[in-house]
Amino acid sequence: ILTFVKEIVKYKKSQKCCYPGCTITNYNDLEKDHITPWSKGGRTIVDNLQLLCKTHNAAKGVDEDGIKG
């Protein structure tokens, strides 16, 4: 992801995991995530990006067609 987009996402989401109830706030433990997966046409724009902790990003899993999201 482009550096400027990373920074916008970082501040847009109050520097914490977006998963409801998650308390992870350490930026080094957060990952940039496409809300609509890139592999499914999601764009790399601020409105389609969020920060998730590594655990919650991994929990998004792989759907029936083998694509993460």
Side-chain angles (χ1 to χ4, degrees):
I1 298 175
L2 301 172
T3 301
F4 80 93
V5 175
K6 283 195 258 187
E7 293 305 312
I8 291 169
V9 171
K10 175 181 174 182
Y11 292 106
K12 174 184 171 191
K13 298 297 182 182
S14 301
Q15 301 184 36
K16 68 182 207 90
C17 178
C18 292
Y19 191 85
C22 186
T23 60
I24 301 295
T25 58
N26 183 339
Y27 187 69
N28 292 325
D29 293 329
L30 298 171
E31 298 178 340
K32 282 61 73 181
D33 174 64
H34 287 81
I35 297 166
T36 299
W38 184 81
S39 61
K40 293 186 175 181
R43 297 176 55 207
T44 304
I45 58 173
V46 173
D47 289 342
N48 190 44
L49 298 171
Q50 64 184 348
L51 292 173
L52 291 176
C53 68
K54 294 173 183 177
T55 300
H56 287 120
N57 195 19
K60 286 179 75 175
V62 176
D63 64 19
E64 63 280 351
D65 61 4
I67 298 175
K68 185 174 191 246

